[in-house]
Amino acid sequence: MSEAPGAGIEAESVDLTDLRPGRALVTGASQGIGRAVALGLAHAGFTVGVVARGARALDELVEEITADGGRAVATAFDVADAAAVASGVHALEAELGGFDLLVQAAGRIEPAEVPPWEADPAHVRAVVEANVLGPFHVARAVLPGMVARGAGRVVDLSSGSAYKDSGAYAAYGASKAALFRLGGAIAVAGAEHGIRAFELSPGVVRTAMSTSMSQHADRTEWTDPDDVVAMVLAIARGELDAWSGRFLRAGTDTVESLREAEATLTPSARRLVVVPYGADDPIA
């Protein structure tokens, strides 16, 4: 079987003793998982730029971080607006400097759990703009600085919907698969510049979005947001660089289990690939 696209993209391991908290940008930081990640990074010593559409919620987040002794700066914009993203990121970089870590947590899902042919085109467009175009705009604004400095890490908040078929929420699934492919492209193109990218599924955290989904109506077990924060911090510290371009899942994976599995990684493991039907498959 031929190697999957992106095989061999891992950069050399880094000296973890030389790593220290830096500057992080978190999108979708006003609520849910993005807010938990921003708080966790700030508590760990990162200076945090926080982004979302709602200025009031961001101001409250900055106040909370500041009260805890951390530093955060907020800028409100819609990630789906390319011009607003470029202007907002430029303003944050002017105040904080370039970012060492980008966490793409902004996202949305269709309001109705219906098959693809019943989906509202307006809802589909909104999901794709937020979950695909948004991260593309943010990456395009942030990554040149990382390239110039020769280092950086990108974490995309992914989902099992990125690689598993489902009869509902087709736009969400398609958007997360597209985000996975974008992250893979960043991992491949950025490897020579010291940039790594990771697709991190948070599992099912109890948020406004997850509780709005009928498939979770009877759920009693939820992923602890602290598990998501722990994975992001491990990525930020360079502990999981061998997993650049690959899929991780908080609440199931742990830093320890992933480190132990590194020795057995195959080129296609945890990547978004098409598996050949056999040795005589022409795509093999």
Side-chain angles (χ1 to χ4, degrees):
M1 182 186 300
S2 61
E3 291 193 349
I9 65 173
E10 292 80 5
E12 294 181 1
S13 60
V14 296
D15 180 3
L16 300 181
T17 62
D18 192 41
L19 293 172
R20 55 184 62 84
R23 295 160 302 212
L25 175 62
V26 182
T27 69
S30 63
Q31 60 183 334
I33 299 169
R35 191 176 193 280
V37 169
L39 287 168
L41 288 169
H43 185 71
F46 280 80
T47 296
V48 185
V50 291
V51 170
R53 290 179 295 174
R56 178 177 296 181
L58 287 177
D59 288 343
E60 292 173 354
L61 174 59
V62 169
E63 290 176 3
E64 184 173 348
I65 290 173
T66 302
D68 194 40
R71 186 186 181 202
V73 176
T75 298
F77 59 75
D78 186 344
V79 296
D81 184 335
V85 170
S87 176
V89 169
H90 178 75
L92 286 170
E93 288 185 330
E95 184 162 356
L96 300 178
F99 294 104
D100 309 296
L101 174 70
L102 168 61
V103 181
Q104 306 243 47
R108 62 190 303 168
I109 195 168
E110 302 98 300
E113 190 170 324
V114 297
W117 55 87
E118 294 180 13
D120 184 324
H123 294 157
V124 171
R125 177 180 291 276
V127 169
V128 172
E129 287 180 345
N131 297 2
V132 182
L133 293 181
F136 205 110
H137 296 327
V138 176
R140 190 169 183 271
V142 173
L143 283 168
M146 290 184 176
V147 170
R149 290 184 297 276
R153 294 181 177 86
V154 178
V155 180
D156 294 326
L157 266 291
S158 187
S159 167
S161 298
Y163 68 91
K164 294 188 295 186
D165 290 330
S166 172
Y169 299 122
Y172 180 77
S175 71
K176 290 301 182 179
L179 182 61
F180 198 156
R181 187 59 77 209
L182 173 59
I186 292 171
V188 172
E192 64 180 293
H193 302 289
I195 297 171
R196 288 85 164 179
F198 308 81
E199 304 307 299
L200 174 61
S201 169
V204 186
V205 176
R206 191 181 182 91
T207 64
M209 187 175 83
S210 62
T211 54
S212 73
M213 301 166 66
S214 59
Q215 66 187 42
H216 298 312
D218 298 323
R219 178 177 290 274
T220 58
E221 295 184 2
W222 303 86
T223 305
D224 190 331
D226 287 346
D227 291 339
V228 184
V229 173
M231 294 291 282
V232 172
L233 286 171
I235 289 170
R237 296 183 184 117
E239 297 175 16
L240 298 175
D241 281 351
W243 294 84
S244 180
R246 304 175 190 265
F247 182 90
L248 312 176
R249 188 186 187 282
T252 300
D253 292 325
T254 65
V255 177
E256 294 74 18
S257 68
L258 292 172
R259 293 295 298 274
E260 290 177 3
E262 287 178 10
T264 61
L265 278 179
T266 62
S268 61
R270 294 288 186 95
R271 298 193 193 278
L272 192 61
V273 299
V274 173
V275 179
Y277 59 68
D280 58 344
D281 189 327
I283 73 165

